[in-house]
Amino acid sequence: MSFKRNILIGLLMICLGTGLIIGGTVYKQDTDKKLDSWPHAEAVVVDYDSEYRRDSDGDSTIMYSEILEFEADGETYRVKSNSSSNIRPRIGAVREIAYDPVNPRNIVEKASNKMLFIILFIAGGAFAAVGLLLTVTSFVKRKS
């Protein structure tokens, strides 16, 4: 690859990685704020939705989204989880959530907040590190 192309790819990877880290941090701060200020409840997994997804190789994976039930202000609500997994949910499992007091169907799950932040932080760090390495090695090779 040419010097300019390596530098461009490296800088794009650094920008993408930095964006993932910043986006993950903003997301975590927003959800932490909701977790701190919204009422909490224990939600029970009462059902799940399943969906087949194809990856770029054409392989099919089944993804599950939990259907959670909880009580807020004397009413029972059923909401679909904001996250999904390839692991089938266990009916009866309990999840800690926070819900919007104005619209209780709007929830934040305590556990998913940490996991998404970790994934974004690791992916962002990896992109930024590879981009930085590509950029630095391109300059070093050009000088020699």
Side-chain angles (χ1 to χ4, degrees):
M1 278 191 182
S2 72
F3 172 74
K4 288 181 183 179
R5 188 180 303 163
N6 283 348
I7 296 299
L8 180 61
I9 292 171
L11 292 175
L12 285 173
M13 290 182 76
I14 291 169
C15 289
L16 177 62
T18 303
L20 287 171
I21 292 169
I22 291 170
T25 302
V26 169
Y27 171 80
K28 185 169 185 330
Q29 289 173 341
D30 181 57
T31 54
D32 283 348
K33 183 178 175 184
K34 290 174 182 175
L35 285 168
D36 289 343
S37 62
W38 286 359
H40 285 236
E42 284 190 346
V44 177
V45 178
V46 293
D47 201 358
Y48 55 85
D49 280 344
S50 58
E51 172 185 340
Y52 284 96
R53 296 186 187 160
R54 292 201 184 278
D55 63 17
S56 59
D57 296 331
D59 295 330
S60 181
T61 302
I62 190 165
M63 298 298 286
Y64 301 97
S65 297
E66 296 176 340
I67 306 297
L68 303 171
E69 188 173 277
F70 67 98
E71 285 194 23
D73 298 324
E75 291 199 36
T76 302
Y77 293 90
R78 266 189 184 212
V79 296
K80 186 175 176 179
S81 172
N82 299 324
S83 59
S84 60
S85 169
N86 62 348
I87 300 170
R88 185 180 315 182
R90 186 175 56 84
I91 303 297
V94 178
R95 307 283 183 252
E96 185 177 342
I97 63 160
Y99 61 90
D100 184 346
V102 176
N103 179 10
R105 294 188 189 289
N106 185 12
I107 66 166
V108 174
E109 298 171 61
K110 186 174 183 179
S112 67
N113 178 36
K114 290 178 186 174
M115 190 57 149
L116 182 59
F117 173 71
I118 291 168
I119 290 168
L120 290 173
F121 192 81
I122 290 171
F127 271 101
V130 170
L132 183 60
L133 184 62
L134 182 61
T135 304
V136 169
T137 56
S138 295
F139 276 110
V140 169
K141 283 182 182 179
R142 186 164 195 215
K143 286 187 177 186
S144 44

